[in-house]
Amino acid sequence: MRRLVAGFVVLAALLVAPEPAFAADASYRTLGAASNPDWMASLADSTSLAALSLPGTHETMSIHGGVLTQTQENFGDSGGTLARQLTAGIRVADIRARVNGGDTFTIHHGATYQNANFDDVLTTLADFLAAHPRETVVLRLKQECTGELGSCTDVSGQRGFADIFDAYVARYPNLFWAPSVSRSAGAATPALGAVRGRVVLAVVNGPRGGPVDRYGLAQFAGWDDGSSAYVQDEYTVPNVGAIATKRDQVRRFLDATRAADPSLMYVNFASGSSLFAQPQQVAGGAFGVQGVNPFLLGYLNQTAPARTGMVMLDLPGSGLIDKIVALNRG
């Protein structure tokens, strides 16, 4: 029995070993070198949000839990990591919340608490937008807990997720672009001038994917778990060898976005993982397989599309962020 237990321990250690993954470079794990705090300021007010190339982060606050859980570089608990991403130029945040006591949200990736609460998120966004009033940030909010193995469980006896969210919106009355936080009617895609200094809610997703009420933008009414209309989110990468498939999914969706209706927004998740392909391996590469991030930077340098839509990244590098931002300047 001891040998069997020891074998499982060794196997578990191998599965969660942090490397080999490629070294930090312009596409990967160098977000701290990017500085684009006011990149929207020079864009015309009439520019549709759909026309923009928006760098975003997948599981924006996920900095704890080890190699199977961490998706972003750690720039500090509470709002520290989000604040540094915003300064770097990130303009789409993917926030995952657990219902906690006192009708509050705490930030989780699965079962792992990320040492941050929803007030930290909203305060950080409010402070950034007050200091940079010509910027806007798009927010995707998801109820994280399913109660299943590996996930979290919401605290019982609390108000419903939507009711708690509404209370947060009321406490930050000037933070959100109001049409996007209506439970009864989805909003049309706005022009930049209408949302400067505000957070635009794209969607609120339930714990198994589907939208909650009609929050967000009307076009995302069908945003479900995984890929759906306007969203590429093939998040399961079964092994390191399958990173090539994920690269191709990202590329094909970029090509589709380029050819698609210019009045609509598109969301392209560059992230993916599994027990045998950890987030940093998918993003940066491993065992001689090129990661999604370096591939994406090379592809954008070669093709220079008119827009990328929202690109949701794990562990992005400064060069990749800078490249996506630069596409907005023609």
Side-chain angles (χ1 to χ4, degrees), residues 132-265:
H132 307 277
R134 292 185 61 78
E135 304 299 295
T136 188
V137 178
V138 179
L139 175 67
R140 184 265 186 118
L141 177 64
K142 185 177 187 295
Q143 185 176 0
E144 181 72 352
C145 300
T146 66
E148 298 167 345
L149 181 66
S151 184
C152 46
T153 300
D154 289 329
V155 173
S156 62
Q158 309 303 303
R159 298 167 68 191
F161 193 87
D163 291 334
I164 297 172
F165 176 66
D166 284 349
Y168 277 106
V169 172
R171 291 206 299 274
Y172 295 81
N174 298 313
L175 179 57
F176 287 92
W177 179 55
S180 72
V181 289
S182 168
R183 292 172 74 164
S184 59
T189 302
L192 184 56
V195 296
R196 292 192 192 274
R198 298 287 182 266
V199 173
V200 177
L201 183 67
V203 70
V204 176
N205 286 124
R208 290 178 174 81
V212 174
D213 292 328
R214 298 181 68 183
Y215 291 111
L217 301 178
Q219 72 162 90
F220 291 130
W223 188 331
D224 209 336
D225 185 50
S227 295
S228 53
Y230 316 115
V231 179
Q232 182 283 121
D233 189 12
E234 299 297 323
Y235 54 79
T236 299
V237 179
N239 51 61
V240 169
I243 296 172
T245 300
K246 180 64 185 184
R247 294 196 311 255
D248 193 54
Q249 290 163 342
V250 171
R251 178 195 60 78
R252 285 188 283 112
F253 201 76
L254 278 174
D255 293 344
T257 298
R258 181 188 312 184
D261 186 339
S263 70
L264 295 174
M265 299 180 74

Side-chain angles (χ1 to χ4, degrees), residues 74-90:
N74 185 347
F75 292 96
D77 291 336
S78 302
T81 291
L82 174 59
R84 188 62 192 85
Q85 291 180 16
L86 295 171
T87 298
I90 296 298

Side-chain angles (χ1 to χ4, degrees), residues 46-60:
S46 60
T47 306
S48 170
L49 223 56
L52 297 179
S53 296
L54 296 171
T57 46
H58 157 253
E59 290 272 8
T60 295

